Amino acid sequence: MYSRIALFIDGGYLDNVLKWHGKAKIDYGKLATAMANDHLLLRTYYYHCLPYQSPNPSSEEKEYFSNAQSFFKRLSRLESFTVREGKLAFRGIDDRGFPVFEQKRVDVMLATDLVMHSTKKLITHAALLTGDSDFLPALQIAQSEGVHITLYYSDESDDIRPHDELLDIVDDRRLINKDFIHSIKRGS
């Protein structure tokens, strides 16, 4: 029997993981190959938001936004890569005077894609790179359709350590550690 996999990458979570590894510059093609783990790769989905821009953006905001757009465009041109963009909503200022932002639509898009691929029998395996337990219902549906779920995660800090329920529900777990990061670095 054949095995087909789709990859579901939470870009915000991956950004936080890479910060713990010295803001490592990775090769996203290598990441996809590693996560596919010898299964036939149907598609890699990458979910993220463009950075927030104020109503009258500064030159720094404009440059940061433009760089993010260019990055998303480069990713979308990789083989079998799809970038799904959510929205970043400004939620106010925290106690330290820093702006607070919230990703919108990213979780729903990831969950919808996972459920759709599972119920249409497009995949036998799914690999998720996330730490968010909001996906538990979608994971349960995928598993009920016979999809084997692998979670790629980091436990470097409480900020990025996945919720126990997420670790418990998946079929397989792959820790993102310094050796894994080294294997997917650009130029390695």
Side-chain angles (χ1 to χ4, degrees):
M1 179 171 155
Y2 77 96
S3 64
R4 281 174 67 155
I5 192 167
L7 313 178
F8 303 90
I9 300 170
D10 178 339
Y13 180 77
L14 179 57
D15 287 351
N16 288 330
V17 169
L18 294 175
K19 283 178 190 171
W20 278 97
H21 292 277
K23 296 186 180 178
K25 302 294 184 196
I26 64 168
D27 180 320
Y28 284 80
K30 286 182 182 179
L31 173 62
T33 299
M35 289 179 67
N37 195 27
D38 296 327
H39 299 288
L40 178 63
L41 178 59
L42 176 67
R43 180 152 304 281
T44 300
Y45 292 95
Y46 178 86
Y47 305 86
H48 212 328
C49 296
L50 288 170
Y52 178 78
Q53 281 197 101
S54 60
N56 296 308
S58 67
S59 57
E60 292 85 12
E61 284 179 320
K62 288 178 184 177
E63 182 179 357
Y64 189 50
F65 191 87
S66 176
N67 289 342
Q69 283 181 313
S70 296
F71 172 68
F72 286 2
K73 186 175 219 169
R74 284 192 310 276
L75 275 187
S76 70
R77 290 183 177 172
L78 293 175
E79 186 176 344
S80 300
F81 247 80
T82 297
V83 175
R84 299 248 200 258
E85 288 183 34
K87 299 288 180 196
L88 200 60
F90 177 70
R91 293 294 181 232
I93 304 293
D94 70 11
D95 296 341
R96 298 171 297 157
F98 293 107
V100 176
F101 300 103
E102 180 183 12
Q103 281 190 344
K104 303 302 285 179
R105 303 184 195 152
V106 169
D107 293 353
V108 172
M109 287 188 288
L110 191 155
T112 301
D113 285 338
L114 175 60
V115 168
M116 188 268 303
H117 281 71
S118 301
T119 58
K120 288 188 171 192
K121 306 290 187 202
L122 298 175
I123 56 174
T124 58
H125 292 74
L128 282 79
L129 196 159
T130 189
D132 197 334
S133 63
D134 289 346
F135 303 118
L136 293 176
L139 294 171
Q140 290 168 327
I141 291 169
Q143 287 174 320
S144 74
E145 293 292 326
V147 174
H148 183 94
I149 309 285
T150 301
L151 176 68
Y152 284 79
Y153 72 98
S154 178
D155 65 358
E156 300 289 335
S157 78
D158 289 340
D159 294 348
I160 57 177
R161 186 173 296 113
H163 194 279
D164 283 343
E165 285 182 282
L166 181 59
L167 289 167
D168 292 343
I169 196 172
V170 297
D171 300 301
D172 205 359
R173 292 146 214 83
R174 298 281 186 262
L175 183 63
I176 300 172
N177 57 24
K178 65 178 180 164
D179 292 333
F180 183 82
I181 296 293
H182 181 73
S183 73
I184 61 170
K185 273 189 175 178
R186 280 194 246 162
S188 66

